């Protein structure tokens, strides 16, 4: 073997390490002549200069009025728009379809290149997520900030890295205790074995000072979950949210629990329709007041529902399939002809419209909503599905500015970190996205990512594209690994 073959990759690695770490630590960065959309609610401010020092925003002001330090790296952003970094508040990046053996190298860069500088992981391998969190925070890996639950608690199923079954109230308490000790940032639930177990879990979370979020168990209404501190409710349909607004809730809820026990989706559908038909405005208003009073958030995850219920829109040659391992991409393509998948999609399609209605109603009433993509279900691609979710929220009645604020300032408020994240303000962490078109005019423009700043590290379009190329290579390699075995 020629020695050059060895030396070249080594040199490249060294170069990469040097350039990456200098990006992460370069202290002064100045972005000039940019339109600032700060997400505080203020109108866009044209021709501004943003000075970044040590990973924080040090100053913002009219370009004519700010003195640019000589040693700073200067980026002329004329014609560009700067917004806070996006937060996708419902992802699965280290569990379910995302296997941590490959997903770190593929999904973290993919998210970052889409302008996503923070994620809330709603069920995955806790040890993997916490180690990635450390790598991202230290600058050792490019990617978004991670807030992680670890495994979600469920009333049945096998114990896996992403799933933690509990059979009763004592086990629910023990799970909270264990996950908190292991470093979970919050507790996620998808179902509970009983009402007792749910209230025990809520009580334990309160005692241990840790938040919980997730699906409403079918035994539990939205208001009572809110009253015991559930921090966010995920999805409408999967949480049977409409039942909480129904005048026939007392009759429908036991029927739904029975349908769940016997996996009777026909009965579930019938109950869902009856719940919609018996919508009670007075009851809905009372539940909404409770959610607002308690500070309970809701994550509609409309894009995921839109994608899953419309397989006819799936493109088997979708270029984004190159970001999932080939074996999984093949499975997704093949599922296109699966009659069971089609039945499920049709079922979802019949239920789905109510989720847009509920999103609109809660938003109008002032219940805070989170932007969550629920990636990585089939064809729900990380990054892309986040931007899709913003468009769906606009379709449900948000203004583009409101959708943008939900994904930035809203996420920061939810996390209790609005003093340092979520808006473009002096003193805040420099997590920023530069767009080449105005997102307030058209929400689809959030996709036009020109550059990303994460904790002060600047990624121009070329740097983001090389992250994407690397991610694709990593995804393609997963097949080779499998074939070798
Ligand atoms: Zn989910």
């Amino acid at each position: 073997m020629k020695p050059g073959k060895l030396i070249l990759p080594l040199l490249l690695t060294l170069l990469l390490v040097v350039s990456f770490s200098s990006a992460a630590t370069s202290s002064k960065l100045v972005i000039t002549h940019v339109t600032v959309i700060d997400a505080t609610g203020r109108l866009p401010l044209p021709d501004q200069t943003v000075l970044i020092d040590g990973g924080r925003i040090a100053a913002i002001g009219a370009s004519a009025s700010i003195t640019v330090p000589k040693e700073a790296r200067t980026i002329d952003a004329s014609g560009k728009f700067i917004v806070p970094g996006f937060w996708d508040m419902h992802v699965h990046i280290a569990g379910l379809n995302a296997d941590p053996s490959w997903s770190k190298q593929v999904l973290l860069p993919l998210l970052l290149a889409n302008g996503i500088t923070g994620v809330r992981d709603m069920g995955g391998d806790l040890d993997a997520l916490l180690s990635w969190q450390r790598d991202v925070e230290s600058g050792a890996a490019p990617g978004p900030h991670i807030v992680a639950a670890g495994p979600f608690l469920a009333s049945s199923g096998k114990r896996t890295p992403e799933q933690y079954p509990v059979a009763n109230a004592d086990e629910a308490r023990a799970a909270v205790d264990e996950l908190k000790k292991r470093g979970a940032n919050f507790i996620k639930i998808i179902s509970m074995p009983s009402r007792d177990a749910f209230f025990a879990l809520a009580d334990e979370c309160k005692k241990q000072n840790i938040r919980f979020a997730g699906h409403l168990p079918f035994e539990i209404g939205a208001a009572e979950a809110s009253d015991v501190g559930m921090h966010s409710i995920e999805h409408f349909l999967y949480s049977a949210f409409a039942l909480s607004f129904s005048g026939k809730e007392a009759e429908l809820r036991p029927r739904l629990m029975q349908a769940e026990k016997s996996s009777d989706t026909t009965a579930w559908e019938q109950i869902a329709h009856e719940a919609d038909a018996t919508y009670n405005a007075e009851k809905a208003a009372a539940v909404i007041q409770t959610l607002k009073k308690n500070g309970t958030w809701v994550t509609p995850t409309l894009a995921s529902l839109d994608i899953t219920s419309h397989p006819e829109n799936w493109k088997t040659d979708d270029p984004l399939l190159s970001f999932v391992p080939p074996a999984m991409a093949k499975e997704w393509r093949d599922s296109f002809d699966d009659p069971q998948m089609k039945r499920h999609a049709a079922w979802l399609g019949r239920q789905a419209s109510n989720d847009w209605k509920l999103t609109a109603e809660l938003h109008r009433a002032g219940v805070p909503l989170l932007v969550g993509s629920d990636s990585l279900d089939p064809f729900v691609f990380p990054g892309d599905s986040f931007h899709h979710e913003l468009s769906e929220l606009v379709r449900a009645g948000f203004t583009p500015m409101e959708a943008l604020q939900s994904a930035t300032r809203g996420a920061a408020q939810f996390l209790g970190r609005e003093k340092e994240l979520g808006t473009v303000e002096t003193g805040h962490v420099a997590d920023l996205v530069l767009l080449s078109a105005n997102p307030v005019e058209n929400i689809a423009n959030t996709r036009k990512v020109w550059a990303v700043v994460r904790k002060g590290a600047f990624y121009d379009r070329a740097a983001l594209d090389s992250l994407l190329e690397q991610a694709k290579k990593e995804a393609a390699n997963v097949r080779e690994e499998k074939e070798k075995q």
Side-chain angles (χ1 to χ4, degrees):
M1 184 197 274
K2 282 184 203 160
K5 275 195 176 163
L6 261 178
I7 290 167
L8 194 62
L10 192 68
L11 260 176
L12 274 176
T13 314
L14 275 173
L15 278 173
L16 274 174
V17 168
V18 170
S19 65
F20 185 68
S21 57
S22 70
T25 54
S26 78
S27 69
K28 286 199 177 79
L29 176 70
V30 183
I31 298 163
T32 60
H33 305 297
V34 70
T35 298
V36 173
I37 301 174
D38 63 14
T40 64
R42 271 206 295 190
L43 289 172
L45 291 164
D47 200 14
Q48 299 287 296
T49 286
V50 179
L51 172 60
I52 293 156
D53 191 356
R56 300 240 168 199
I57 300 171
I60 310 169
S63 287
S65 73
I66 293 227
T67 323
V68 174
K70 268 214 181 79
E71 71 279 21
R73 178 177 177 192
T74 303
I75 309 292
D76 181 352
S78 302
K80 312 295 181 220
F81 299 81
I82 198 164
V83 296
F86 305 132
W87 279 78
D88 188 335
M89 295 300 278
H90 191 132
V91 298
H92 298 275
I93 56 173
L96 303 176
N97 282 326
D99 188 321
S101 67
W102 59 264
S103 59
K104 179 190 184 187
Q105 289 84 347
V106 177
L107 303 185
L108 296 189
L110 177 57
L111 288 161
L112 191 65
N114 272 283
I116 294 161
T117 58
V119 294
R120 182 174 63 140
D121 191 274
M122 297 304 282
D125 183 325
L126 185 59
D127 296 332
L129 288 161
L130 293 179
S131 90
W132 303 357
Q133 192 178 58
R134 284 190 294 273
D135 287 351
V136 165
E137 294 309 321
S138 73
H145 302 284
I146 298 170
V147 176
F152 48 71
L153 309 193
S155 59
S156 60
K158 266 196 297 201
R159 177 87 191 253
T160 63
E162 72 262 350
Q163 177 169 279
Y164 193 140
V166 294
N168 53 47
D170 287 344
E171 287 189 20
R173 284 186 190 274
V176 172
D177 187 55
E178 184 200 318
L179 291 172
K180 167 137 197 210
K181 284 201 177 92
R182 283 177 58 199
N185 303 125
F186 68 102
I187 302 294
K188 157 96 187 268
I189 61 170
I190 62 163
S191 56
M192 278 284 126
S194 63
R195 288 176 58 82
D196 281 359
F198 176 82
F199 291 114
L201 170 120
D203 181 61
E204 191 65 28
C205 284
K206 198 172 185 183
K207 273 189 194 143
Q208 301 244 10
N209 193 26
I210 188 167
R211 299 277 208 167
F212 75 102
H215 300 197
L216 283 175
F218 285 175
E219 294 85 348
I220 306 290
E224 51 184 352
S226 170
D227 276 337
V228 293
M230 191 160 184
H231 198 194
S232 73
I233 297 169
E234 306 303 302
H235 327 292
F236 292 108
L237 177 60
Y238 300 121
S239 283
F241 199 98
L243 237 56
S244 297
F245 287 178
S246 159
K248 268 174 75 179
E249 181 181 7
E251 180 207 319
L252 294 177
R253 199 169 282 289
R255 275 171 56 196
L256 180 65
M257 284 155 60
Q258 189 51 47
E260 186 193 26
K261 238 183 232 148
S262 50
S263 307
D264 185 346
T265 51
T266 314
W268 183 1
E269 181 160 11
Q270 180 56 34
I271 294 158
H273 286 310
E274 282 185 49
D276 297 350
T278 52
Y279 172 89
N280 180 309
E282 235 169 86
K283 201 167 168 215
V287 171
I288 283 169
Q289 279 318 309
T290 303
L291 297 178
K292 284 169 67 173
K293 172 182 69 126
N294 294 327
T296 308
W297 295 63
V298 176
T299 318
T301 63
L302 299 174
S304 151
L305 191 57
D306 185 47
I307 295 165
T308 312
S309 62
H310 291 292
E312 70 277 13
N313 295 337
W314 297 356
K315 289 187 293 230
T316 50
D317 60 348
D318 195 320
L320 291 172
L321 284 167
S322 53
F323 290 103
V324 304
M328 199 162 91
K330 183 180 180 314
E331 220 173 273
W332 290 8
R333 285 195 196 98
D334 291 350
S335 74
F336 196 70
D337 296 315
D338 176 10
Q340 199 187 332
M341 183 282 292
K342 282 191 176 153
R343 268 197 304 276
H344 180 64
W347 184 84
L348 281 178
R350 290 193 295 273
Q351 308 299 313
S353 63
N354 202 49
D355 284 34
W356 274 259
K357 224 172 66 195
L358 288 171
T359 300
E361 179 171 5
L362 263 53
H363 179 57
R364 261 198 316 272
V367 175
L369 305 182
L370 291 167
V371 182
S373 67
D374 210 2
S375 57
L376 180 76
D377 268 345
F379 291 89
V380 185
F381 298 103
D384 184 76
S385 55
F386 165 83
H387 296 287
H388 188 159
E389 181 68 11
L390 288 177
S391 298
E392 291 306 326
L393 292 173
V394 169
R395 190 147 76 94
F398 281 59
T399 64
M401 181 66 102
E402 287 170 345
L404 185 72
Q405 285 183 292
S406 273
T408 55
R409 188 179 69 162
Q413 286 170 335
F414 174 82
L415 296 169
R417 297 176 67 185
E418 69 272 22
K419 288 211 170 70
E420 58 162 11
L421 290 174
T423 50
V424 187
E425 289 182 274
T426 303
H428 277 211
V429 174
D431 288 345
L432 304 160
V433 182
L434 285 131
L435 301 169
S436 54
N438 188 346
V440 176
E441 272 169 17
N442 180 354
I443 196 64
N445 289 336
T446 58
R447 292 175 178 275
K448 297 184 178 158
V449 176
W450 184 72
V452 174
V453 184
R454 207 202 64 91
K455 259 180 137 180
F458 186 76
Y459 298 84
D460 60 12
R461 193 58 250 176
L464 296 174
D465 286 340
S466 76
L467 283 180
L468 291 175
E469 281 313 308
Q470 187 58 33
K472 273 188 208 174
K473 265 187 215 145
E474 295 282 353
N477 279 340
V478 177
R479 174 175 51 186
E480 284 167 25
E481 292 287 311
K482 276 217 170 127
E483 278 173 357
K484 262 187 258 164
Q485 283 166 7

